[in-house]
Amino acid sequence: MVAKVFIDGEAGTTGLEIREKLAGRRDINLVSIPAQKRKDNDAKRALLTNVDVAILCLPDDAAKQAAEVIDGLGDGAPKVLDASTAHRVAPGWTYGFPELSKEQPQAISSAKRVANPGCYATGAIALLRPLIEAGLIPVDHRLTINAVSGYSGGGRKMIEEFESDRSPVFEVYGLGLEHKHIPEIVVHSRLIARPIFIPSVGNFRQGMIVCIPLFVDTLPGRPTGAAFRDALLAHYDGADDIHVVEPTLSGRLSALTFNKTNEMELSVYENEIRGETVLVARLDNLGKGASGAAVQNLELMLGL
């Protein structure tokens, strides 16, 4: 059986990446709506009743409206995979991070509505959830999260600014401390204390590093770097796309290493004498952080 999939917002960055990753597959038929009918609600409803999954690559408000339209189709509604921020902590939506727990792949497979994770949140949650579940980091611990991404994660306006040389080589943003990924980091890491999250963007198209620094003397039992690594290794045992590795001898990391892949690398750096540890995640913000994760979720939702 060939599954029919409609990407609503296929001309955007994430939509284009998903199309590219699905191109040539014989088990998926990508269905499109003519450009002149994209705002024709009747035409879109007719199309939606004839597909298996609708992927929403839209701004938040448009994604909410699209989800409401799909809900109104009743038994004829397709499954929905939302790549926006709109439903990542919403009731009735399954969080599309298959490695979140042993039960999560089945939860995604059986869900009618799945919310694709945010790119920064993917790195932060991948590090925090296993360590919180292992009791190494308390749920009320005050954390800071620092991250850098390629400019493709900032949307069309940011992409145009960087590619026309109107932006700096490096830029910190989100200093209002209300970044849209914070709620999903809190909920899906199982934190009860809100972290400070400082994102930044570099003058490279894609790639991402997420860092979480820790003073181990503020943690119960002063856990070692080995304890953190062991907990991560146990959680991701058997995972195809997430790898826990030893620190590099140079102490240097490139954000671009996993570009064009769905892989994510986790590592733990420590200075035992100083009692300092840094948790690090590396991924492609358009891969495991967006379109790669969407394809992974799509395969689960379709049983492929």
Side-chain angles (χ1 to χ4, degrees), residues 175-239:
L175 291 174
L177 304 180
E178 292 288 351
H179 193 278
K180 63 183 182 179
H181 288 184
I182 294 175
E184 64 181 297
I185 292 173
V186 171
V187 169
H188 299 296
S189 296
R190 294 187 169 167
L191 288 167
I192 61 173
R194 177 185 170 92
I196 293 176
F197 173 49
I198 305 297
S200 58
V201 60
N203 194 8
F204 50 92
R205 180 171 175 80
Q206 60 198 89
M208 174 170 285
I209 295 181
V210 178
C211 296
I212 304 176
L214 300 167
F215 291 103
V216 294
D217 60 0
T218 66
L219 296 170
R222 295 175 59 94
T224 63
F228 288 129
R229 278 190 290 276
D230 287 347
L232 292 171
L233 283 165
H235 185 93
Y236 296 111
D237 181 38

Short mmCIF file of all heavy atoms in Angstrom, two decimals, residues 175-239:
data_model
loop_
_atom_site.label_atom_id
_atom_site.label_comp_id
_atom_site.label_asym_id
_atom_site.label_seq_id
_atom_site.Cartn_x
_atom_site.Cartn_y
_atom_site.Cartn_z
N LEU A 175 16.71 37.50 24.11
CA LEU A 175 17.09 38.02 25.41
C LEU A 175 15.92 38.56 26.22
O LEU A 175 16.10 39.05 27.34
CB LEU A 175 18.18 39.09 25.26
CG LEU A 175 19.53 38.52 24.78
CD1 LEU A 175 20.54 39.62 24.50
CD2 LEU A 175 20.10 37.54 25.80
N GLY A 176 14.72 38.45 25.67
CA GLY A 176 13.52 38.69 26.47
C GLY A 176 13.21 37.49 27.36
O GLY A 176 12.30 37.54 28.19
N LEU A 177 13.98 36.41 27.18
CA LEU A 177 13.89 35.18 27.99
C LEU A 177 12.50 34.54 27.94
O LEU A 177 12.01 33.99 28.91
CB LEU A 177 14.28 35.49 29.45
CG LEU A 177 15.67 36.12 29.64
CD1 LEU A 177 15.95 36.37 31.10
CD2 LEU A 177 16.76 35.27 29.02
N GLU A 178 11.90 34.59 26.75
CA GLU A 178 10.59 33.97 26.53
C GLU A 178 10.60 33.14 25.25
O GLU A 178 9.63 33.11 24.52
CB GLU A 178 9.49 35.04 26.44
CG GLU A 178 9.22 35.78 27.73
CD GLU A 178 8.50 34.94 28.77
OE1 GLU A 178 8.06 33.81 28.45
OE2 GLU A 178 8.40 35.40 29.93
N HIS A 179 11.71 32.46 24.98
CA HIS A 179 11.80 31.70 23.73
C HIS A 179 10.71 30.63 23.67
O HIS A 179 10.36 29.99 24.68
CB HIS A 179 13.18 31.04 23.61
CG HIS A 179 13.48 30.52 22.25
ND1 HIS A 179 13.02 29.29 21.81
CD2 HIS A 179 14.17 31.04 21.20
CE1 HIS A 179 13.42 29.08 20.57
NE2 HIS A 179 14.12 30.13 20.18
N LYS A 180 10.18 30.41 22.48
CA LYS A 180 9.03 29.52 22.31
C LYS A 180 9.33 28.06 22.61
O LYS A 180 8.39 27.26 22.77
CB LYS A 180 8.48 29.66 20.89
CG LYS A 180 9.45 29.23 19.79
CD LYS A 180 8.85 29.48 18.42
CE LYS A 180 9.78 29.02 17.30
NZ LYS A 180 9.17 29.25 15.96
N HIS A 181 10.60 27.66 22.70
CA HIS A 181 10.91 26.26 23.01
C HIS A 181 10.94 25.97 24.51
O HIS A 181 11.00 24.80 24.90
CB HIS A 181 12.26 25.88 22.41
CG HIS A 181 12.25 25.75 20.91
ND1 HIS A 181 13.36 25.35 20.21
CD2 HIS A 181 11.28 25.97 20.00
CE1 HIS A 181 13.07 25.34 18.91
NE2 HIS A 181 11.81 25.72 18.77
N ILE A 182 10.92 27.00 25.33
CA ILE A 182 11.04 26.77 26.78
C ILE A 182 9.91 25.90 27.33
O ILE A 182 10.17 24.96 28.09
CB ILE A 182 11.14 28.10 27.54
CG1 ILE A 182 12.45 28.81 27.18
CG2 ILE A 182 11.07 27.87 29.06
CD1 ILE A 182 12.61 30.20 27.79
N PRO A 183 8.63 26.15 26.98
CA PRO A 183 7.57 25.30 27.55
C PRO A 183 7.75 23.81 27.26
O PRO A 183 7.55 22.98 28.16
CB PRO A 183 6.30 25.86 26.89
CG PRO A 183 6.63 27.29 26.60
CD PRO A 183 8.07 27.28 26.21
N GLU A 184 8.13 23.45 26.04
CA GLU A 184 8.29 22.02 25.75
C GLU A 184 9.51 21.43 26.44
O GLU A 184 9.50 20.26 26.83
CB GLU A 184 8.33 21.75 24.24
CG GLU A 184 9.50 22.36 23.52
CD GLU A 184 9.46 22.08 22.02
OE1 GLU A 184 9.54 20.90 21.60
OE2 GLU A 184 9.35 23.06 21.25
N ILE A 185 10.56 22.25 26.63
CA ILE A 185 11.72 21.76 27.38
C ILE A 185 11.31 21.45 28.81
O ILE A 185 11.68 20.40 29.37
CB ILE A 185 12.87 22.80 27.36
CG1 ILE A 185 13.45 22.93 25.94
CG2 ILE A 185 13.97 22.41 28.34
CD1 ILE A 185 14.45 24.06 25.79
N VAL A 186 10.55 22.32 29.43
CA VAL A 186 10.09 22.11 30.81
C VAL A 186 9.21 20.86 30.90
O VAL A 186 9.45 19.97 31.72
CB VAL A 186 9.33 23.35 31.33
CG1 VAL A 186 8.67 23.05 32.67
CG2 VAL A 186 10.27 24.54 31.46
N VAL A 187 8.19 20.79 30.05
CA VAL A 187 7.20 19.71 30.13
C VAL A 187 7.82 18.36 29.82
O VAL A 187 7.65 17.38 30.58
CB VAL A 187 6.02 19.99 29.19
CG1 VAL A 187 5.11 18.76 29.08
CG2 VAL A 187 5.22 21.19 29.69
N HIS A 188 8.56 18.26 28.72
CA HIS A 188 9.00 16.94 28.26
C HIS A 188 10.33 16.50 28.88
O HIS A 188 10.68 15.32 28.79
CB HIS A 188 9.05 16.92 26.74
CG HIS A 188 7.71 17.16 26.12
ND1 HIS A 188 6.66 16.29 26.29
CD2 HIS A 188 7.22 18.20 25.37
CE1 HIS A 188 5.59 16.77 25.67
NE2 HIS A 188 5.91 17.91 25.10
N SER A 189 11.04 17.42 29.52
CA SER A 189 12.17 17.01 30.36
C SER A 189 11.71 16.60 31.75
O SER A 189 12.46 16.03 32.51
CB SER A 189 13.19 18.15 30.49
OG SER A 189 13.76 18.49 29.26
N ARG A 190 10.46 16.98 32.09
CA ARG A 190 9.85 16.75 33.40
C ARG A 190 10.45 17.66 34.47
O ARG A 190 10.55 17.29 35.65
CB ARG A 190 9.93 15.28 33.81
CG ARG A 190 9.09 14.39 32.91
CD ARG A 190 9.01 12.96 33.41
NE ARG A 190 8.01 12.21 32.67
CZ ARG A 190 7.87 10.90 32.68
NH1 ARG A 190 8.70 10.16 33.41
NH2 ARG A 190 6.92 10.30 32.00
N LEU A 191 10.82 18.86 34.06
CA LEU A 191 11.26 19.87 35.00
C LEU A 191 10.05 20.54 35.64
O LEU A 191 8.97 20.59 35.05
CB LEU A 191 12.09 20.94 34.28
CG LEU A 191 13.49 20.56 33.81
CD1 LEU A 191 14.03 21.62 32.86
CD2 LEU A 191 14.43 20.40 35.01
N ILE A 192 10.26 21.09 36.83
CA ILE A 192 9.25 21.99 37.40
C ILE A 192 9.83 23.39 37.58
O ILE A 192 9.09 24.33 37.84
CB ILE A 192 8.69 21.46 38.74
CG1 ILE A 192 9.80 21.33 39.79
CG2 ILE A 192 7.98 20.14 38.53
CD1 ILE A 192 9.27 20.98 41.18
N ALA A 193 11.14 23.51 37.43
CA ALA A 193 11.79 24.83 37.48
C ALA A 193 12.11 25.27 36.05
O ALA A 193 12.68 24.51 35.27
CB ALA A 193 13.07 24.77 38.30
N ARG A 194 11.72 26.47 35.72
CA ARG A 194 11.94 27.00 34.36
C ARG A 194 13.42 27.35 34.16
O ARG A 194 14.00 28.09 34.95
CB ARG A 194 11.07 28.25 34.19
CG ARG A 194 11.22 28.98 32.88
CD ARG A 194 10.38 30.26 32.95
NE ARG A 194 10.65 31.14 31.82
CZ ARG A 194 9.95 31.12 30.68
NH1 ARG A 194 8.95 30.27 30.55
NH2 ARG A 194 10.23 31.95 29.70
N PRO A 195 14.06 26.83 33.11
CA PRO A 195 15.47 27.16 32.87
C PRO A 195 15.62 28.52 32.19
O PRO A 195 14.68 29.03 31.57
CB PRO A 195 15.92 26.04 31.92
CG PRO A 195 14.68 25.70 31.15
CD PRO A 195 13.53 25.88 32.11
N ILE A 196 16.80 29.10 32.30
CA ILE A 196 17.17 30.25 31.46
C ILE A 196 17.74 29.69 30.18
O ILE A 196 18.66 28.88 30.19
CB ILE A 196 18.21 31.15 32.16
CG1 ILE A 196 17.58 31.82 33.38
CG2 ILE A 196 18.74 32.19 31.19
CD1 ILE A 196 18.57 32.65 34.18
N PHE A 197 17.18 30.11 29.06
CA PHE A 197 17.62 29.60 27.76
C PHE A 197 18.10 30.77 26.90
O PHE A 197 17.37 31.72 26.66
CB PHE A 197 16.46 28.87 27.06
CG PHE A 197 16.77 28.46 25.64
CD1 PHE A 197 17.95 27.80 25.34
CD2 PHE A 197 15.89 28.74 24.62
CE1 PHE A 197 18.25 27.43 24.04
CE2 PHE A 197 16.16 28.37 23.31
CZ PHE A 197 17.35 27.71 23.01
N ILE A 198 19.36 30.68 26.46
CA ILE A 198 19.96 31.73 25.64
C ILE A 198 20.34 31.14 24.28
O ILE A 198 21.36 30.44 24.15
CB ILE A 198 21.22 32.34 26.30
CG1 ILE A 198 20.89 32.84 27.70
CG2 ILE A 198 21.76 33.47 25.44
CD1 ILE A 198 19.87 33.97 27.73
N PRO A 199 19.54 31.39 23.24
CA PRO A 199 19.88 30.92 21.90
C PRO A 199 20.77 31.93 21.16
O PRO A 199 20.81 33.11 21.50
CB PRO A 199 18.52 30.81 21.22
CG PRO A 199 17.72 31.90 21.86
CD PRO A 199 18.22 32.02 23.28
N SER A 200 21.46 31.44 20.16
CA SER A 200 22.28 32.31 19.32
C SER A 200 22.31 31.73 17.91
O SER A 200 21.95 30.57 17.70
CB SER A 200 23.71 32.44 19.87
OG SER A 200 24.33 31.17 19.98
N VAL A 201 22.74 32.55 16.96
CA VAL A 201 22.76 32.10 15.57
C VAL A 201 24.10 32.49 14.95
O VAL A 201 24.63 33.57 15.20
CB VAL A 201 21.58 32.70 14.77
CG1 VAL A 201 21.61 34.21 14.77
CG2 VAL A 201 21.55 32.16 13.35
N GLY A 202 24.66 31.57 14.18
CA GLY A 202 25.92 31.83 13.49
C GLY A 202 25.71 31.94 12.00
O GLY A 202 24.68 31.53 11.46
N ASN A 203 26.70 32.47 11.32
CA ASN A 203 26.59 32.67 9.87
C ASN A 203 26.94 31.38 9.12
O ASN A 203 27.89 31.32 8.35
CB ASN A 203 27.49 33.82 9.43
CG ASN A 203 27.17 34.28 8.02
OD1 ASN A 203 26.18 33.85 7.44
ND2 ASN A 203 28.00 35.13 7.47
N PHE A 204 26.16 30.34 9.39
CA PHE A 204 26.21 29.08 8.64
C PHE A 204 24.77 28.59 8.51
O PHE A 204 23.94 28.84 9.38
CB PHE A 204 27.09 28.04 9.33
CG PHE A 204 26.81 27.82 10.79
CD1 PHE A 204 25.93 26.84 11.22
CD2 PHE A 204 27.45 28.60 11.76
CE1 PHE A 204 25.67 26.64 12.56
CE2 PHE A 204 27.20 28.41 13.11
CZ PHE A 204 26.31 27.43 13.52
N ARG A 205 24.48 27.92 7.42
CA ARG A 205 23.07 27.62 7.12
C ARG A 205 22.43 26.66 8.12
O ARG A 205 21.32 26.89 8.58
CB ARG A 205 22.93 27.06 5.70
CG ARG A 205 21.47 26.74 5.36
CD ARG A 205 21.25 26.40 3.91
NE ARG A 205 19.87 26.00 3.67
CZ ARG A 205 18.84 26.83 3.53
NH1 ARG A 205 19.06 28.14 3.60
NH2 ARG A 205 17.63 26.38 3.33
N GLN A 206 23.10 25.57 8.44
CA GLN A 206 22.49 24.61 9.34
C GLN A 206 23.53 23.92 10.20
O GLN A 206 24.71 23.90 9.88
CB GLN A 206 21.66 23.59 8.56
CG GLN A 206 22.43 22.76 7.55
CD GLN A 206 21.52 22.10 6.53
OE1 GLN A 206 21.23 22.69 5.50
NE2 GLN A 206 21.07 20.88 6.82
N GLY A 207 23.04 23.35 11.29
CA GLY A 207 23.91 22.76 12.30
C GLY A 207 23.56 23.37 13.65
O GLY A 207 23.06 24.50 13.72
N MET A 208 23.82 22.63 14.72
CA MET A 208 23.40 23.10 16.05
C MET A 208 24.23 22.45 17.14
O MET A 208 24.59 21.26 17.06
CB MET A 208 21.92 22.78 16.26
CG MET A 208 21.39 23.08 17.65
SD MET A 208 19.59 22.94 17.72
CE MET A 208 19.13 24.47 16.89
N ILE A 209 24.52 23.22 18.19
CA ILE A 209 25.10 22.71 19.43
C ILE A 209 24.27 23.27 20.59
O ILE A 209 23.98 24.46 20.64
CB ILE A 209 26.57 23.10 19.60
CG1 ILE A 209 27.43 22.45 18.52
CG2 ILE A 209 27.08 22.69 20.99
CD1 ILE A 209 28.91 22.78 18.63
N VAL A 210 23.89 22.39 21.52
CA VAL A 210 23.18 22.78 22.74
C VAL A 210 24.06 22.40 23.92
O VAL A 210 24.52 21.25 24.01
CB VAL A 210 21.82 22.07 22.85
CG1 VAL A 210 21.11 22.46 24.15
CG2 VAL A 210 20.94 22.40 21.64
N CYS A 211 24.32 23.35 24.82
CA CYS A 211 25.18 23.11 25.99
C CYS A 211 24.42 23.42 27.28
O CYS A 211 23.73 24.45 27.38
CB CYS A 211 26.42 24.00 25.95
SG CYS A 211 27.54 23.68 24.57
N ILE A 212 24.57 22.55 28.27
CA ILE A 212 23.96 22.76 29.58
C ILE A 212 25.07 22.65 30.62
O ILE A 212 25.54 21.55 30.93
CB ILE A 212 22.86 21.73 29.86
CG1 ILE A 212 21.80 21.77 28.75
CG2 ILE A 212 22.22 21.99 31.24
CD1 ILE A 212 20.71 20.72 28.89
N PRO A 213 25.53 23.78 31.18
CA PRO A 213 26.59 23.74 32.19
C PRO A 213 26.02 23.42 33.58
O PRO A 213 24.90 23.82 33.90
CB PRO A 213 27.16 25.17 32.14
CG PRO A 213 26.01 26.01 31.68
CD PRO A 213 25.17 25.14 30.78
N LEU A 214 26.81 22.68 34.37
CA LEU A 214 26.38 22.29 35.71
C LEU A 214 27.52 22.46 36.71
O LEU A 214 28.67 22.12 36.41
CB LEU A 214 25.95 20.82 35.71
CG LEU A 214 24.79 20.40 34.80
CD1 LEU A 214 24.74 18.88 34.70
CD2 LEU A 214 23.48 20.96 35.32
N PHE A 215 27.20 22.98 37.89
CA PHE A 215 28.12 22.93 39.04
C PHE A 215 27.72 21.68 39.83
O PHE A 215 26.64 21.64 40.44
CB PHE A 215 27.99 24.18 39.91
CG PHE A 215 28.51 25.42 39.25
CD1 PHE A 215 27.64 26.36 38.72
CD2 PHE A 215 29.88 25.65 39.17
CE1 PHE A 215 28.13 27.51 38.12
CE2 PHE A 215 30.37 26.81 38.57
CZ PHE A 215 29.49 27.73 38.04
N VAL A 216 28.57 20.65 39.83
CA VAL A 216 28.15 19.37 40.39
C VAL A 216 27.96 19.43 41.91
O VAL A 216 27.22 18.62 42.47
CB VAL A 216 29.14 18.24 40.01
CG1 VAL A 216 29.10 17.98 38.53
CG2 VAL A 216 30.54 18.55 40.48
N ASP A 217 28.60 20.42 42.59
CA ASP A 217 28.40 20.49 44.04
C ASP A 217 27.02 21.02 44.42
O ASP A 217 26.65 21.02 45.60
CB ASP A 217 29.51 21.32 44.71
CG ASP A 217 29.57 22.75 44.22
OD1 ASP A 217 28.75 23.12 43.35
OD2 ASP A 217 30.45 23.49 44.69
N THR A 218 26.25 21.45 43.43
CA THR A 218 24.87 21.86 43.70
C THR A 218 23.89 20.72 43.43
O THR A 218 22.67 20.90 43.60
CB THR A 218 24.47 23.08 42.83
OG1 THR A 218 24.45 22.69 41.45
CG2 THR A 218 25.45 24.22 43.03
N LEU A 219 24.40 19.56 43.02
CA LEU A 219 23.56 18.41 42.69
C LEU A 219 23.68 17.34 43.77
O LEU A 219 24.76 17.15 44.34
CB LEU A 219 23.97 17.81 41.34
CG LEU A 219 23.79 18.71 40.12
CD1 LEU A 219 24.46 18.09 38.90
CD2 LEU A 219 22.31 18.96 39.84
N PRO A 220 22.60 16.62 44.06
CA PRO A 220 22.67 15.56 45.07
C PRO A 220 23.72 14.51 44.73
O PRO A 220 23.76 14.00 43.62
CB PRO A 220 21.26 14.94 45.01
CG PRO A 220 20.38 15.99 44.41
CD PRO A 220 21.26 16.76 43.46
N GLY A 221 24.60 14.24 45.68
CA GLY A 221 25.60 13.20 45.50
C GLY A 221 26.78 13.58 44.62
O GLY A 221 27.64 12.75 44.35
N ARG A 222 26.83 14.82 44.13
CA ARG A 222 27.92 15.27 43.27
C ARG A 222 28.24 14.24 42.17
O ARG A 222 29.33 13.67 42.11
CB ARG A 222 29.19 15.55 44.09
CG ARG A 222 29.05 16.69 45.08
CD ARG A 222 30.32 16.81 45.93
NE ARG A 222 31.47 17.06 45.09
CZ ARG A 222 31.98 18.27 44.81
NH1 ARG A 222 31.39 19.33 45.31
NH2 ARG A 222 33.04 18.39 44.05
N PRO A 223 27.32 14.00 41.25
CA PRO A 223 27.53 12.96 40.22
C PRO A 223 28.74 13.26 39.33
O PRO A 223 29.02 14.41 39.01
CB PRO A 223 26.24 12.98 39.41
CG PRO A 223 25.62 14.30 39.70
CD PRO A 223 26.02 14.67 41.09
N THR A 224 29.42 12.22 38.93
CA THR A 224 30.59 12.34 38.06
C THR A 224 30.15 12.38 36.60
O THR A 224 29.02 12.04 36.25
CB THR A 224 31.53 11.15 38.25
OG1 THR A 224 30.83 9.95 37.87
CG2 THR A 224 31.97 11.04 39.71
N GLY A 225 31.09 12.76 35.74
CA GLY A 225 30.83 12.71 34.31
C GLY A 225 30.49 11.30 33.87
O GLY A 225 29.63 11.10 33.01
N ALA A 226 31.16 10.30 34.47
CA ALA A 226 30.88 8.90 34.12
C ALA A 226 29.44 8.53 34.48
O ALA A 226 28.78 7.79 33.74
CB ALA A 226 31.86 7.99 34.85
N ALA A 227 28.94 9.05 35.60
CA ALA A 227 27.56 8.75 35.99
C ALA A 227 26.57 9.34 34.99
O ALA A 227 25.58 8.70 34.62
CB ALA A 227 27.29 9.30 37.39
N PHE A 228 26.85 10.57 34.54
CA PHE A 228 25.99 11.18 33.52
C PHE A 228 26.03 10.36 32.22
O PHE A 228 24.99 10.09 31.62
CB PHE A 228 26.45 12.62 33.23
CG PHE A 228 26.15 13.60 34.33
CD1 PHE A 228 27.14 14.42 34.83
CD2 PHE A 228 24.87 13.72 34.85
CE1 PHE A 228 26.87 15.33 35.82
CE2 PHE A 228 24.59 14.64 35.85
CZ PHE A 228 25.60 15.44 36.35
N ARG A 229 27.23 9.98 31.79
CA ARG A 229 27.36 9.22 30.55
C ARG A 229 26.66 7.87 30.64
O ARG A 229 25.98 7.43 29.71
CB ARG A 229 28.84 9.02 30.18
CG ARG A 229 29.46 10.20 29.46
CD ARG A 229 30.83 9.86 28.90
NE ARG A 229 31.81 9.69 29.95
CZ ARG A 229 32.49 10.69 30.52
NH1 ARG A 229 32.29 11.93 30.13
NH2 ARG A 229 33.38 10.45 31.47
N ASP A 230 26.80 7.20 31.79
CA ASP A 230 26.16 5.89 31.96
C ASP A 230 24.64 6.01 31.88
O ASP A 230 23.98 5.15 31.29
CB ASP A 230 26.56 5.28 33.31
CG ASP A 230 28.00 4.78 33.32
OD1 ASP A 230 28.60 4.69 32.22
OD2 ASP A 230 28.53 4.52 34.42
N ALA A 231 24.09 7.06 32.46
CA ALA A 231 22.64 7.25 32.42
C ALA A 231 22.17 7.51 30.99
O ALA A 231 21.12 7.00 30.56
CB ALA A 231 22.23 8.40 33.34
N LEU A 232 22.93 8.30 30.26
CA LEU A 232 22.58 8.57 28.86
C LEU A 232 22.71 7.30 28.02
O LEU A 232 21.84 7.00 27.18
CB LEU A 232 23.48 9.68 28.30
CG LEU A 232 23.27 11.08 28.88
CD1 LEU A 232 24.37 12.02 28.40
CD2 LEU A 232 21.91 11.63 28.50
N LEU A 233 23.77 6.55 28.23
CA LEU A 233 23.97 5.31 27.49
C LEU A 233 22.85 4.31 27.75
O LEU A 233 22.36 3.66 26.83
CB LEU A 233 25.32 4.68 27.86
CG LEU A 233 26.56 5.30 27.24
CD1 LEU A 233 27.82 4.83 27.96
CD2 LEU A 233 26.65 4.96 25.76
N ALA A 234 22.42 4.21 28.99
CA ALA A 234 21.34 3.28 29.34
C ALA A 234 20.03 3.70 28.67
O ALA A 234 19.29 2.85 28.15
CB ALA A 234 21.17 3.21 30.85
N HIS A 235 19.76 4.99 28.66
CA HIS A 235 18.50 5.49 28.09
C HIS A 235 18.45 5.27 26.58
O HIS A 235 17.40 4.88 26.04
CB HIS A 235 18.32 6.97 28.40
CG HIS A 235 17.01 7.53 27.96
ND1 HIS A 235 15.91 7.58 28.79
CD2 HIS A 235 16.60 8.04 26.77
CE1 HIS A 235 14.89 8.11 28.13
NE2 HIS A 235 15.28 8.39 26.91
N TYR A 236 19.57 5.52 25.90
CA TYR A 236 19.59 5.46 24.44
C TYR A 236 20.14 4.15 23.90
O TYR A 236 20.47 4.05 22.71
CB TYR A 236 20.36 6.65 23.88
CG TYR A 236 19.67 7.94 24.21
CD1 TYR A 236 20.22 8.84 25.12
CD2 TYR A 236 18.44 8.26 23.65
CE1 TYR A 236 19.57 10.02 25.45
CE2 TYR A 236 17.77 9.43 23.98
CZ TYR A 236 18.35 10.31 24.88
OH TYR A 236 17.69 11.47 25.22
N ASP A 237 20.21 3.14 24.74
CA ASP A 237 20.66 1.83 24.29
C ASP A 237 19.72 1.32 23.19
O ASP A 237 18.51 1.23 23.37
CB ASP A 237 20.65 0.85 25.46
CG ASP A 237 21.14 -0.54 25.06
OD1 ASP A 237 22.08 -0.64 24.25
OD2 ASP A 237 20.56 -1.52 25.54
N GLY A 238 20.27 1.03 22.02
CA GLY A 238 19.48 0.54 20.91
C GLY A 238 18.93 1.62 20.00
O GLY A 238 18.34 1.32 18.96
N ALA A 239 19.11 2.89 20.36
CA ALA A 239 18.62 3.99 19.51
C ALA A 239 19.44 4.06 18.23
O ALA A 239 20.67 3.93 18.25
CB ALA A 239 18.70 5.31 20.25
#
